[in-house]
Amino acid sequence: MGYQIDIESNSQSQIIPALAELEGWISAALQSQEFEDAEVSVYIVDEEEGQELNAQYRGKDYPTNVLSFPADIAEEVGIPLLGDLVVCAPVVEREAQEQGKTLQAHWAHMLIHGTLHLVGFDHIEDDEAETMEALETQIVTGLGYPAPYQEITEE
């Protein structure tokens, strides 16, 4: 397999997972769809830049956890570029804490979620959401993390 995963950070966060982990999570999502060759770029940002990008591209004036920008390249061109992911580190950190998840598990989920968007999955319609969430759960749990959509209950 030939996965090229480029990662750039413009975040002040001190707790971004290691490069090998980021690559592993994206690779797991790509392998689930049997991609042999693929190129994905990941850009890690802080809230201000995340909010600007979310407002510019989605019309939503708040930072979000992950944005996916699928490449619009015709298959016959033969370039395996799938697109770009933008991850807002502080949002991922906050959500992990709010949801009672480990930071690693939530990062894994966000990169898998974003990568699945790059390969054509969506969650706008209920049936699409069910399909995508089931696949995310399969990949995330296959990596040894808890199911991402499982309700966290305090004991």
Side-chain angles (χ1 to χ4, degrees):
M1 278 178 278
Y3 298 149
Q4 180 175 336
I5 300 168
D6 300 311
I7 299 173
E8 181 181 343
S9 179
N10 190 30
S11 173
Q12 299 302 309
S13 175
Q14 300 298 306
I15 50 177
I16 294 171
L19 177 64
E21 291 176 300
L22 299 170
E23 290 174 341
W25 299 326
I26 292 169
S27 294
L30 294 173
Q31 289 169 0
S32 78
Q33 298 305 295
E34 300 180 2
F35 275 85
E36 291 186 21
D37 296 305
E39 183 176 339
V40 175
S41 293
V42 179
Y43 184 48
I44 302 169
V45 299
D46 284 332
E47 287 182 286
E48 183 178 332
E49 189 170 5
Q51 182 168 345
E52 289 170 8
L53 291 168
N54 201 26
Q56 180 178 353
Y57 291 101
R58 295 181 62 229
K60 300 185 186 252
D61 194 24
Y62 56 85
T64 191
N65 47 30
V66 63
L67 293 167
S68 300
F69 298 96
D72 190 15
I73 299 173
E75 224 177 282
E76 50 274 1
V77 174
I79 298 173
L81 178 63
L82 294 179
D84 304 321
L85 299 176
V86 177
V87 182
C88 187
V91 171
V92 173
E93 292 165 15
R94 185 174 53 251
E95 287 177 346
Q97 185 175 18
E98 290 170 355
Q99 296 172 19
K101 298 177 180 178
T102 68
L103 189 55
Q104 298 303 103
H106 198 48
W107 267 94
H109 180 214
M110 291 300 93
L111 286 173
I112 290 165
H113 181 89
T115 302
L116 291 177
H117 275 307
L118 293 181
V119 301
F121 285 87
D122 213 332
H123 47 79
I124 295 170
E125 302 294 329
D126 287 346
D127 60 332
E128 293 174 334
E130 287 178 24
T131 300
M132 186 172 179
E133 289 174 9
L135 181 55
E136 289 173 64
T137 298
Q138 177 185 356
I139 298 166
V140 169
T141 58
L143 293 171
Y145 298 107
Y149 295 102
Q150 180 177 320
E151 289 288 325
I152 304 296
T153 56
E154 295 191 27
E155 295 179 27

